[in-house]
Amino acid sequence: MGTLIGLFRRSNYWIADFGDPWILNASQPRKGIRLVLENFLESRVVERADLVTFTTERTRRDYAERYPAHRSKFAVARMGHDPVLVSGDTSSTNEIFYGGALQADNRDASAVLRAIPQHPTWQFVFAGVGTSVVRDFYGDELPSNVTLIPWLNHPEYVQAASRAHACLVFGNSNPQQIPGKVYQLMPVAQRILYVQGMPTEDDEALTLEGLDAVLVQPTQASVEHAISNLGSTPTRQARGESSSYTWEAVMRPLREAVAAQV
């Protein structure tokens, strides 16, 4: 609906959000008639929009190569966090926390789930829609050191993350994108275990200013090694407000881009 409004209402200033790449989405390549139709629609959107935003520099660069005549209207608008929710509570537990989805085609948690029974002194807490994936993986034999929480609202998620000894992040299998959880956890997590979606150095998340994470390859051996090296106390305290990726900070370039065109 937003695409139709943008295409046919000519008087409105239109920002097209390509938070997920469209035709250039490497994880969901289009084929056949769908490719033809969506290729046409994407080109019309890019032509009609006054500003097109992407969440990563790599995606902006890919689209600038695809549409060189419109590259001046492309901008990066990253995700961020709300500093109001950063409580400063750095009390540590023996929990390793993950909250969010675990779709197999994008965030494969199988290596982590296979490693969990080998580390009974750690309590692994999974919250949100990904709990169904965890339950299905173990069947009727859910390990005693696994806790499943079906749902947390965002303030509860931040609180759980800040309380945990470490937080898990699963990198996307699509190398064009950065998991939004990275930005939410940067100011509150006492330690981040970043499980790469694919074993590659071409991961823009690893270049983010202020990201302090333990890089874990998506294999059971690498996961077990990272967990074994966690130790009894965090290596750092939660950093509190991270000014680089507050919503105020990440929206500033977008406001400047809009101001330059209106």
Side-chain angles (χ1 to χ4, degrees):
M1 182 60 70
T3 299
L4 293 176
I5 293 173
L7 290 175
F8 294 107
R9 288 188 61 188
R10 309 302 296 182
S11 61
N12 58 310
Y13 186 89
W14 188 28
I15 301 175
D17 176 20
F18 277 38
D20 292 318
W22 195 345
I23 293 298
L24 296 185
N25 190 335
S27 64
Q28 295 181 346
R30 272 59 171 176
K31 298 179 181 179
I33 188 63
R34 182 178 179 183
L35 173 62
V36 175
L37 175 61
E38 295 192 24
N39 186 60
F40 169 75
L41 288 174
E42 181 187 83
S43 64
R44 289 293 306 276
V45 168
V46 170
E47 179 181 355
R48 167 64 182 86
D50 297 282
L51 186 67
V52 183
T53 62
F54 308 93
T55 56
T56 66
E57 176 58 33
R58 173 171 178 164
T59 312
R60 187 205 64 78
R61 187 172 62 247
D62 289 347
Y63 271 85
E65 294 176 357
R66 179 174 172 83
Y67 299 104
H70 301 290
R71 64 191 310 152
S72 63
K73 66 173 72 174
F74 295 161
V76 174
R78 296 191 183 278
M79 296 186 68
H81 69 270
D82 186 348
V84 173
L85 298 177
V86 180
S87 66
D89 178 12
T90 58
S91 59
S92 182
T93 66
N94 71 329
E95 294 177 354
I96 298 176
F97 174 75
Y98 177 77
L102 288 172
Q103 58 268 40
D105 61 339
N106 197 33
R107 295 185 182 94
D108 185 0
S110 57
V112 171
L113 298 178
R114 286 195 298 269
I116 285 176
Q118 311 306 317
H119 300 275
T121 60
W122 292 102
Q123 191 67 27
F124 293 81
V125 179
F126 293 87
V129 295
T131 55
S132 61
V133 174
V134 178
R135 191 177 297 279
D136 289 345
F137 181 89
Y138 292 117
D140 296 330
E141 299 181 1
L142 187 71
S144 59
N145 63 331
V146 172
T147 299
L148 303 181
I149 305 174
W151 185 80
L152 291 176
N153 60 36
H154 188 63
E156 291 170 337
Y157 166 84
V158 173
Q159 183 180 34
S162 64
R163 185 178 63 243
H165 185 92
C167 292
L168 286 165
V169 173
F170 293 91
N172 289 324
S173 61
N174 179 354
Q176 297 162 297
Q177 296 169 280
I178 296 174
K181 294 290 188 297
V182 169
Y183 301 100
Q184 297 167 10
L185 293 175
M186 282 173 70
V188 298
Q190 298 182 58
R191 181 177 290 161
I192 295 175
L193 299 181
Y194 185 88
V195 184
Q196 282 192 289
M198 51 179 59
T200 174
E201 296 180 0
D202 189 15
D203 191 328
E204 193 172 328
L206 304 179
T207 69
L208 294 179
E209 178 186 356
L211 179 63
D212 185 2
V214 177
L215 181 62
V216 184
Q217 298 297 326
T219 65
Q220 182 176 345
S222 182
V223 171
E224 291 195 20
H225 179 75
I227 295 173
S228 297
N229 288 339
L230 279 176
S232 59
T233 58
T235 56
R236 69 178 177 89
Q237 295 295 307
R239 62 179 74 247
E241 181 177 338
S242 176
S243 59
S244 297
Y245 298 107
T246 63
W247 282 117
E248 173 64 27
V250 299
M251 291 301 292
R252 193 175 301 124
L254 180 58
R255 288 196 295 267
E256 292 173 353
V258 172
Q261 295 192 32
V262 298

